[in-house]
Amino acid sequence: MKLVLLGVSGAGKGTQAKNMIKRYNLGHISTGDILRKHIREGTAIGLNIQDGMDAGQLVDDTLMISIVKDVVTRVEFENGYILDGFPRTLAQAQTFDEFERIDLAIYVQVDDRIVIERLTGRWVCDCCTQMYHIKSFPPKVSGVCDYCGCTLIQREDDKAETVKDRLRIFHELTGPVISYYRELGVLFTVSGEGSADTITNTIIQKLDTLV
Ligand code: AMP
């Protein structure tokens, strides 16, 4: 099963992806995680994209397409995958369509106000990428990851001033991707405002009709 997960950052895509990969034995491809790894490791790509990413801007389509093209053909994704964070522009979606056929695009829809509250309270482990939230999911010890003991950081692009720009970019550039998949008849929209379990169950009901 080849799935695309759409939604603004903070919609809860990561949590849903984790639940889906367990149930359907799929690989998880997060383009944001791939790019952050480049930045952490100081690769040429990382150095090139860091400032733009910190400012909440999108990375160039050509680079994103080449990254995704390389990843989806890996043997570990033979059984299928959830692509989380791609495509984010119509050009990415159309080019992706030329080399992969997805089974479903799942759009996790959340009101902008809720996204702002979620993102600006979000902290992430610098080592294992586990997410926390100061109100809804705090770590046991402030500033420390429950799982690996590493320091928690606030992503530059989760800072309040950047979040509004990311929302604007999402509506302007990723909105057309949602319309594109709707027209292709492969879009499934789920509200991302309920509990994580409720959202997972709604998605599972749909995916079970595909397997
Ligand atoms: P995410 O973790 O999915 O919120 O992605 C974090 C950042 O990575 C985004 O704000 C973009 O700067 C960059 N990024 C991730 N995926 C893409 C993509 N498909 N196209 C362009 N930029 C991306």
Side-chain angles (χ1 to χ4, degrees):
M1 203 160 30
K2 294 176 180 175
L3 306 173
V4 156
L5 201 50
L6 299 168
V8 69
S9 302
K13 295 191 304 285
T15 309
Q16 294 308 319
K18 276 185 190 152
N19 295 343
M20 296 303 123
I21 57 177
K22 266 193 245 148
R23 185 175 172 96
Y24 299 101
N25 188 26
L26 301 171
H28 181 202
I29 304 169
S30 156
T31 48
D33 282 352
I34 294 172
L35 297 173
R36 281 185 288 276
K37 187 161 182 271
H38 275 290
I39 292 175
R40 267 201 313 279
E41 293 176 354
T43 66
I45 290 179
L47 292 172
N48 205 15
I49 62 175
Q50 178 155 24
D51 288 349
M53 259 182 84
D54 283 351
Q57 291 160 6
L58 291 191
V59 171
D60 171 71
D61 283 341
T62 313
L63 175 61
M64 291 315 303
I65 289 160
S66 82
I67 287 176
V68 168
K69 205 170 194 171
D70 170 62
V71 173
V72 293
T73 51
R74 289 190 196 153
V75 65
E76 68 215 77
F77 300 118
E78 230 169 38
N79 187 52
Y81 53 77
I82 296 194
L83 191 45
D84 169 1
F86 180 98
R88 262 178 155 97
T89 65
L90 188 57
Q92 289 179 14
Q94 288 170 332
T95 313
F96 184 51
D97 233 12
E98 290 166 13
F99 60 89
E100 282 286 89
R101 269 295 129 102
I102 60 158
D103 296 293
L104 197 69
I106 301 163
Y107 171 35
V108 185
Q109 189 173 34
V110 177
D111 187 84
D112 284 4
R113 276 178 307 112
I114 294 177
V115 168
I116 291 168
E117 193 187 302
R118 284 187 188 171
L119 287 185
T120 54
R122 184 161 89 164
W123 288 74
V124 58
C125 174
D126 204 15
C127 303
C128 73
T129 75
Q130 173 66 45
M131 296 280 185
Y132 296 87
H133 189 277
I134 43 170
K135 280 191 200 152
S136 58
F137 185 53
K140 291 192 185 93
V141 178
S142 173
V144 179
C145 180
D146 292 353
Y147 300 95
C148 65
C150 284
T151 307
L152 303 183
I153 54 163
Q154 187 178 37
R155 279 169 35 179
E156 276 304 317
D157 57 354
D158 280 348
K159 295 191 172 158
E161 58 279 16
T162 313
V163 168
K164 284 191 181 148
D165 276 342
R166 292 173 78 189
L167 281 165
R168 185 184 46 77
I169 290 171
F170 178 81
H171 293 301
E172 273 177 29
L173 298 179
T174 313
V177 176
I178 294 162
S179 308
Y180 176 74
Y181 285 131
R182 185 179 294 118
E183 277 157 31
L184 285 181
V186 292
L187 185 76
F188 178 67
T189 302
V190 59
S191 165
E193 293 179 17
S195 76
D197 285 348
T198 309
I199 301 163
T200 302
N201 287 334
T202 309
I203 299 174
I204 283 174
Q205 274 178 17
K206 174 69 182 175
L207 292 183
D208 280 351
T209 66
L210 301 180
V211 288

